[in-house]
Amino acid sequence: MLYLQLFISFFKIGLFGFGGGLAILSLIQMEVEEHGWMTQQEFVDIVAVSQVTPGPIGINCATYVGYTTAGIWGSVLATTAIILPSLIIMLSICKAYFWLNKRFKGNPYFEQTLRILRFTVIGLIASAALMLIKPTNFIDPISWIIFGAVALFTVLPELIKGKKLSPFAFHLTSFFSHPILLIILAGIAGYCLYA
């Protein structure tokens, strides 16, 4: 029964989790809490571990939840269940896209659908970020400063897009908004301040 619950839960997450990664963390947390598979602190810990391990964070979380819940076979089942809907949907869309390539190209309805989905993904990522803001993670004002700086440099390229900047300012902004550099700098700041 546990294996069936794992499969159904993560298949459902894979099916309805648009935006991948951080956008589906709220769905995973909801399923974990509903079934009582782990505590909230354990979930926050697996999110941290999933972010530093290679691969998509949603799949890493599914693998870890499956492992802690039902061992190796649970991790295999949860991982398979979360990627299966995407695999089926993408194979179907690719087949339809190549078959109807001329029809989709420049279609205003298709373009409008993609624009709407972008806003949905932004909302899901914001939901995941807000759910992770807990007293156990943000223990002092410095934590909020690090969070604010990373958030600012993440959205800064979109804010300045199309605006005229000096070459130095443009390269400086591009340099500090690189996701890998932001992760490294936030890790160094956290280590220096809290170790």
Side-chain angles (χ1 to χ4, degrees), residues 10 17 26 34 54 59 63 65 67 72 74 82-83 91 100 104 106 113 116-117 124 126-127 133 157 177 191-193:
F10 283 101
S26 58
E34 182 180 315
I59 295 173
T63 304
V65 169
Y67 182 77
I72 291 175
I82 201 167
I83 65 171
L91 287 175
L100 300 170
F104 275 122
T113 302
I116 291 169
L117 284 176
L124 289 170
S127 168
I133 296 177
S177 63
Y191 179 78
C192 291
L193 293 169

Side-chain angles (χ1 to χ4, degrees), residues 173-185:
T173 305
S174 299
F175 178 75
F176 279 111
S177 63
H178 194 278
I180 295 173
L181 181 65
L182 284 175
I183 292 168
I184 292 170
L185 291 175

Side-chain angles (χ1 to χ4, degrees), residues 6-179:
L6 271 173
F7 184 82
I8 291 171
S9 294
F10 283 101
F11 188 85
K12 187 170 50 173
I13 290 167
L15 189 61
F16 297 109
F18 290 98
L22 295 172
I24 65 172
L25 284 181
S26 58
L27 297 174
I28 295 174
Q29 184 179 18
M30 187 177 67
E31 290 292 327
V32 165
E33 288 178 358
E34 182 180 315
H35 294 290
W37 289 331
M38 58 182 53
T39 65
Q40 185 177 13
Q41 184 59 46
E42 288 173 328
F43 182 75
V44 170
D45 292 342
I46 70 157
V47 169
V49 170
S50 297
Q51 286 180 331
V52 297
T53 53
I57 186 172
I59 295 173
N60 292 345
C61 279
T63 304
Y64 189 78
V65 169
Y67 182 77
T68 57
T69 305
I72 291 175
W73 290 112
S75 67
V76 170
L77 190 66
T79 304
T80 303
I82 201 167
I83 65 171
L84 194 58
S86 301
L87 181 66
I88 293 168
I89 291 169
M90 287 311 298
L91 287 175
S92 303
I93 289 173
C94 286
K95 187 171 175 101
Y97 178 77
F98 287 124
W99 186 61
L100 300 170
N101 188 20
K102 290 182 183 176
R103 191 170 185 179
F104 275 122
K105 200 174 243 179
N107 185 332
Y109 297 112
F110 184 71
E111 296 296 326
Q112 184 64 26
T113 302
L114 290 179
R115 279 190 215 101
I116 291 169
L117 284 176
R118 284 187 202 125
F119 288 111
T120 305
V121 170
I122 290 170
L124 289 170
I125 291 172
S127 168
L130 291 173
M131 281 189 356
L132 292 174
I133 296 177
K134 305 282 184 204
T136 56
N137 299 335
F138 291 84
I139 54 177
D140 60 10
I142 296 172
S143 302
W144 288 99
I145 292 170
I146 293 172
F147 176 77
V150 170
L152 175 68
F153 282 112
T154 301
V155 298
L156 199 57
E158 291 298 319
L159 295 175
I160 63 168
K161 191 180 280 184
K163 296 189 175 161
K164 297 216 179 233
L165 294 173
S166 69
F168 175 75
F170 176 77
H171 289 301
L172 184 68
T173 305
S174 299
F175 178 75
F176 279 111
S177 63
H178 194 278

